[in-house]
Amino acid sequence: YYPFYGHITNFRIVSGTAVYTANFAPVPPLTAITNTQLLLLANSDLNKTADSSVNNFTVTNTGGVLYSSTVVPTYLAIAPIPTNLITPVQGGGSFNGTSQYLTAPIGASTFGSGDFTAECWFYKTSATTCTLLSNATGNADNNYWSLSTYADGHCQFTIRDATSQLY
C-alpha cells in the first residue's frame, strides 16, 4: 500500500460487466449502470463519501478526506478532445497522502470470476508511487487487487491470489 496524494472523483466498480470493450471517450459524470457495485461521485462536500449505487454501501472517511471543488479530469491523453468532454467533472475527494483514506465493505469490491470494471478520475499532486484503489485488507492471505500509479507516470492494475501469484 502506498498513500495517495491528490484528488479522486467518479470512482465506480462494476462487477460482471466489461464496460469498455472497444475504443471509447469517457463521459463524466459516471452513472450507476447495470451491475454497479460502488459509485462515489464526490461532487459536493455533502456526498464526498456517499455511495450512489443501488447498494448504498456505507463508506468510512478515515483521517478527514476533504472535498475540493478544483478537481477536474485532464484530457491531455485524448487528442483531439471529444466534444462530449467540454464540461468536465467538478470536484472530488482530496487526499493528503499520509493519513486520509476511504473504506467500503469488502462486498463493494468483489469482482467474482467474470468481467469487471474499476474506474475513476484522478489527479496526483505528488510524483510519488501511490495506490489509487485497492481491496487489500491486510490479511495474511495476500488475496487482493490494486490500481497504482508510479513516479514515472505509468499505472498498473495488479491481482494477487491467495497463493501470492501476481497477475
Side-chain angles (χ1 to χ4, degrees), residues 55-87:
N55 296 312
N56 194 28
F57 285 118
T58 298
V59 177
T60 304
N61 183 346
T62 301
V65 172
L66 302 173
Y67 169 75
S68 173
S69 62
T70 61
V71 179
V72 294
T74 178
Y75 306 123
L76 298 178
I78 304 171
I81 297 173
T83 56
N84 64 338
L85 296 180
I86 299 303
T87 306

Side-chain angles (χ1 to χ4, degrees), residues 7-10 41-44 67-72 89-93:
H7 310 284
I8 299 177
T9 190
N10 280 251
L41 296 174
N43 56 12
S44 76
Y67 169 75
S68 173
S69 62
T70 61
V71 179
V72 294
V89 172
Q90 297 294 320

